[in-house]
PDB file of all heavy atoms in Angstrom:
ATOM      1  N   GLN R  18      19.619  10.435  -8.430  1.00  0.00           N
ATOM      2  CA  GLN R  18      18.706  11.566  -8.345  1.00  0.00           C
ATOM      3  C   GLN R  18      19.383  12.723  -7.623  1.00  0.00           C
ATOM      4  O   GLN R  18      20.170  12.518  -6.703  1.00  0.00           O
ATOM      5  CB  GLN R  18      17.454  11.160  -7.565  1.00  0.00           C
ATOM      6  CG  GLN R  18      16.603  10.156  -8.296  1.00  0.00           C
ATOM      7  CD  GLN R  18      15.873  10.786  -9.472  1.00  0.00           C
ATOM      8  OE1 GLN R  18      15.095  11.711  -9.303  1.00  0.00           O
ATOM      9  NE2 GLN R  18      16.136  10.291 -10.664  1.00  0.00           N
ATOM     10  N   SER R  44      17.276  -6.947 -10.195  1.00  0.00           N
ATOM     11  CA  SER R  44      15.949  -7.533 -10.358  1.00  0.00           C
ATOM     12  C   SER R  44      15.260  -6.866 -11.538  1.00  0.00           C
ATOM     13  O   SER R  44      15.800  -5.917 -12.132  1.00  0.00           O
ATOM     14  CB  SER R  44      15.114  -7.416  -9.088  1.00  0.00           C
ATOM     15  OG  SER R  44      14.002  -8.302  -9.172  1.00  0.00           O
ATOM     16  N   PHE R  45      14.070  -7.358 -11.866  1.00  0.00           N
ATOM     17  CA  PHE R  45      13.377  -6.890 -13.074  1.00  0.00           C
ATOM     18  C   PHE R  45      11.910  -7.262 -12.984  1.00  0.00           C
ATOM     19  O   PHE R  45      11.513  -8.098 -12.172  1.00  0.00           O
ATOM     20  CB  PHE R  45      13.987  -7.561 -14.323  1.00  0.00           C
ATOM     21  CG  PHE R  45      13.715  -9.050 -14.334  1.00  0.00           C
ATOM     22  CD1 PHE R  45      12.618  -9.569 -15.030  1.00  0.00           C
ATOM     23  CD2 PHE R  45      14.502  -9.928 -13.604  1.00  0.00           C
ATOM     24  CE1 PHE R  45      12.351 -10.938 -14.992  1.00  0.00           C
ATOM     25  CE2 PHE R  45      14.226 -11.293 -13.564  1.00  0.00           C
ATOM     26  CZ  PHE R  45      13.156 -11.797 -14.264  1.00  0.00           C
ATOM     27  N   THR R  46      11.123  -6.629 -13.850  1.00  0.00           N
ATOM     28  CA  THR R  46       9.762  -7.117 -14.087  1.00  0.00           C
ATOM     29  C   THR R  46       9.438  -6.864 -15.545  1.00  0.00           C
ATOM     30  O   THR R  46       9.893  -5.866 -16.122  1.00  0.00           O
ATOM     31  CB  THR R  46       8.729  -6.437 -13.170  1.00  0.00           C
ATOM     32  OG1 THR R  46       7.447  -7.039 -13.371  1.00  0.00           O
ATOM     33  CG2 THR R  46       8.613  -4.939 -13.438  1.00  0.00           C
ATOM     34  N   HIS R  49       3.295  -5.913 -18.751  1.00  0.00           N
ATOM     35  CA  HIS R  49       2.333  -6.180 -19.831  1.00  0.00           C
ATOM     36  C   HIS R  49       1.213  -5.148 -19.855  1.00  0.00           C
ATOM     37  O   HIS R  49       0.663  -4.839 -20.897  1.00  0.00           O
ATOM     38  CB  HIS R  49       1.726  -7.577 -19.665  1.00  0.00           C
ATOM     39  CG  HIS R  49       2.732  -8.669 -19.815  1.00  0.00           C
ATOM     40  ND1 HIS R  49       2.864  -9.421 -20.965  1.00  0.00           N
ATOM     41  CD2 HIS R  49       3.696  -9.125 -18.963  1.00  0.00           C
ATOM     42  CE1 HIS R  49       3.852 -10.301 -20.814  1.00  0.00           C
ATOM     43  NE2 HIS R  49       4.383 -10.140 -19.598  1.00  0.00           N
ATOM     44  N   TYR R  61       7.356  -4.620 -22.068  1.00  0.00           N
ATOM     45  CA  TYR R  61       8.744  -4.178 -21.947  1.00  0.00           C
ATOM     46  C   TYR R  61       9.250  -4.563 -20.554  1.00  0.00           C
ATOM     47  O   TYR R  61       8.456  -4.928 -19.675  1.00  0.00           O
ATOM     48  CB  TYR R  61       8.879  -2.664 -22.195  1.00  0.00           C
ATOM     49  CG  TYR R  61       8.057  -1.796 -21.270  1.00  0.00           C
ATOM     50  CD1 TYR R  61       8.558  -1.330 -20.061  1.00  0.00           C
ATOM     51  CD2 TYR R  61       6.744  -1.433 -21.605  1.00  0.00           C
ATOM     52  CE1 TYR R  61       7.806  -0.531 -19.215  1.00  0.00           C
ATOM     53  CE2 TYR R  61       5.976  -0.629 -20.762  1.00  0.00           C
ATOM     54  CZ  TYR R  61       6.508  -0.182 -19.571  1.00  0.00           C
ATOM     55  OH  TYR R  61       5.762   0.600 -18.727  1.00  0.00           O
ATOM     56  N   THR R  75      17.403   2.396 -12.072  1.00  0.00           N
ATOM     57  CA  THR R  75      16.252   1.817 -12.771  1.00  0.00           C
ATOM     58  C   THR R  75      16.334   2.201 -14.246  1.00  0.00           C
ATOM     59  O   THR R  75      16.582   3.361 -14.580  1.00  0.00           O
ATOM     60  CB  THR R  75      14.947   2.359 -12.171  1.00  0.00           C
ATOM     61  OG1 THR R  75      14.917   2.037 -10.781  1.00  0.00           O
ATOM     62  CG2 THR R  75      13.740   1.737 -12.853  1.00  0.00           C
ATOM     63  N   ASN R  85      21.252 -11.171 -12.611  1.00  0.00           N
ATOM     64  CA  ASN R  85      22.700 -11.338 -12.843  1.00  0.00           C
ATOM     65  C   ASN R  85      23.124 -11.207 -14.303  1.00  0.00           C
ATOM     66  O   ASN R  85      24.321 -11.255 -14.598  1.00  0.00           O
ATOM     67  CB  ASN R  85      23.250 -12.664 -12.281  1.00  0.00           C
ATOM     68  CG  ASN R  85      23.190 -12.692 -10.771  1.00  0.00           C
ATOM     69  OD1 ASN R  85      23.262 -11.638 -10.140  1.00  0.00           O
ATOM     70  ND2 ASN R  85      23.053 -13.870 -10.187  1.00  0.00           N
TER      71      ASN R  85
ATOM     72  N   ASN P 134      14.042   9.377 -13.238  1.00  0.00           N
ATOM     73  CA  ASN P 134      14.362   8.513 -14.376  1.00  0.00           C
ATOM     74  C   ASN P 134      13.599   7.200 -14.278  1.00  0.00           C
ATOM     75  O   ASN P 134      13.356   6.524 -15.269  1.00  0.00           O
ATOM     76  CB  ASN P 134      15.871   8.239 -14.414  1.00  0.00           C
ATOM     77  CG  ASN P 134      16.359   7.511 -13.186  1.00  0.00           C
ATOM     78  OD1 ASN P 134      16.260   8.040 -12.072  1.00  0.00           O
ATOM     79  ND2 ASN P 134      16.851   6.302 -13.345  1.00  0.00           N
ATOM     80  N   GLU P 135      13.191   6.861 -13.058  1.00  0.00           N
ATOM     81  CA  GLU P 135      12.508   5.590 -12.804  1.00  0.00           C
ATOM     82  C   GLU P 135      11.110   5.589 -13.423  1.00  0.00           C
ATOM     83  O   GLU P 135      10.697   4.644 -14.090  1.00  0.00           O
ATOM     84  CB  GLU P 135      12.416   5.421 -11.284  1.00  0.00           C
ATOM     85  CG  GLU P 135      11.896   4.129 -10.838  1.00  0.00           C
ATOM     86  CD  GLU P 135      12.302   3.883  -9.391  1.00  0.00           C
ATOM     87  OE1 GLU P 135      13.504   3.716  -9.127  1.00  0.00           O
ATOM     88  OE2 GLU P 135      11.416   3.850  -8.539  1.00  0.00           O
ATOM     89  N   GLY P 139       9.294   3.779 -17.383  1.00  0.00           N
ATOM     90  CA  GLY P 139       8.035   3.068 -17.612  1.00  0.00           C
ATOM     91  C   GLY P 139       7.650   2.170 -16.450  1.00  0.00           C
ATOM     92  O   GLY P 139       6.780   1.311 -16.589  1.00  0.00           O
ATOM     93  N   THR P 148       8.979  -6.350  -9.433  1.00  0.00           N
ATOM     94  CA  THR P 148      10.443  -6.350  -9.310  1.00  0.00           C
ATOM     95  C   THR P 148      10.859  -6.894  -7.947  1.00  0.00           C
ATOM     96  O   THR P 148      11.820  -7.673  -7.835  1.00  0.00           O
ATOM     97  CB  THR P 148      10.991  -4.913  -9.508  1.00  0.00           C
ATOM     98  OG1 THR P 148      10.453  -4.388 -10.722  1.00  0.00           O
ATOM     99  CG2 THR P 148      12.501  -4.895  -9.571  1.00  0.00           C
ATOM    100  N   ASN P 151      10.373 -10.807  -7.971  1.00  0.00           N
ATOM    101  CA  ASN P 151      11.424 -11.572  -8.655  1.00  0.00           C
ATOM    102  C   ASN P 151      12.674 -11.693  -7.792  1.00  0.00           C
ATOM    103  O   ASN P 151      13.307 -12.755  -7.744  1.00  0.00           O
ATOM    104  CB  ASN P 151      11.767 -10.934 -10.005  1.00  0.00           C
ATOM    105  CG  ASN P 151      10.851 -11.436 -11.114  1.00  0.00           C
ATOM    106  OD1 ASN P 151      10.391 -12.591 -11.072  1.00  0.00           O
ATOM    107  ND2 ASN P 151      10.581 -10.585 -12.083  1.00  0.00           N
ATOM    108  N   TYR P 155      14.320 -15.064  -5.964  1.00  0.00           N
ATOM    109  CA  TYR P 155      15.742 -15.377  -6.180  1.00  0.00           C
ATOM    110  C   TYR P 155      16.462 -15.615  -4.849  1.00  0.00           C
ATOM    111  O   TYR P 155      17.253 -16.548  -4.713  1.00  0.00           O
ATOM    112  CB  TYR P 155      16.393 -14.216  -6.939  1.00  0.00           C
ATOM    113  CG  TYR P 155      17.870 -14.347  -7.170  1.00  0.00           C
ATOM    114  CD1 TYR P 155      18.365 -15.118  -8.223  1.00  0.00           C
ATOM    115  CD2 TYR P 155      18.786 -13.690  -6.342  1.00  0.00           C
ATOM    116  CE1 TYR P 155      19.724 -15.228  -8.449  1.00  0.00           C
ATOM    117  CE2 TYR P 155      20.143 -13.803  -6.555  1.00  0.00           C
ATOM    118  CZ  TYR P 155      20.614 -14.579  -7.608  1.00  0.00           C
ATOM    119  OH  TYR P 155      21.967 -14.697  -7.822  1.00  0.00           O
ATOM    120  N   THR P 199       2.324  -7.821 -14.592  1.00  0.00           N
ATOM    121  CA  THR P 199       3.734  -7.394 -14.542  1.00  0.00           C
ATOM    122  C   THR P 199       4.482  -8.541 -13.877  1.00  0.00           C
ATOM    123  O   THR P 199       4.261  -8.833 -12.717  1.00  0.00           O
ATOM    124  CB  THR P 199       3.878  -6.042 -13.797  1.00  0.00           C
ATOM    125  OG1 THR P 199       5.228  -5.628 -13.801  1.00  0.00           O
ATOM    126  CG2 THR P 199       3.358  -6.069 -12.377  1.00  0.00           C
ATOM    127  N   GLU P 200       5.276  -9.260 -14.648  1.00  0.00           N
ATOM    128  CA  GLU P 200       5.825 -10.538 -14.196  1.00  0.00           C
ATOM    129  C   GLU P 200       6.606 -10.382 -12.894  1.00  0.00           C
ATOM    130  O   GLU P 200       7.374  -9.433 -12.767  1.00  0.00           O
ATOM    131  CB  GLU P 200       6.728 -11.116 -15.302  1.00  0.00           C
ATOM    132  CG  GLU P 200       5.940 -11.465 -16.546  1.00  0.00           C
ATOM    133  CD  GLU P 200       6.829 -11.922 -17.712  1.00  0.00           C
ATOM    134  OE1 GLU P 200       7.895 -12.521 -17.457  1.00  0.00           O
ATOM    135  OE2 GLU P 200       6.434 -11.678 -18.855  1.00  0.00           O
TER     136      GLU P 200
END
Side-chain angles (χ1 to χ4, degrees):
Chain R
Q18 292 288 300
S44 196
F45 67 95
T46 185
H49 295 258
Y61 58 90
T75 302
N85 293 331
Chain P
N134 62 298
E135 187 160 293
T148 308
N151 273 329
Y155 177 82
T199 182
E200 295 175 31

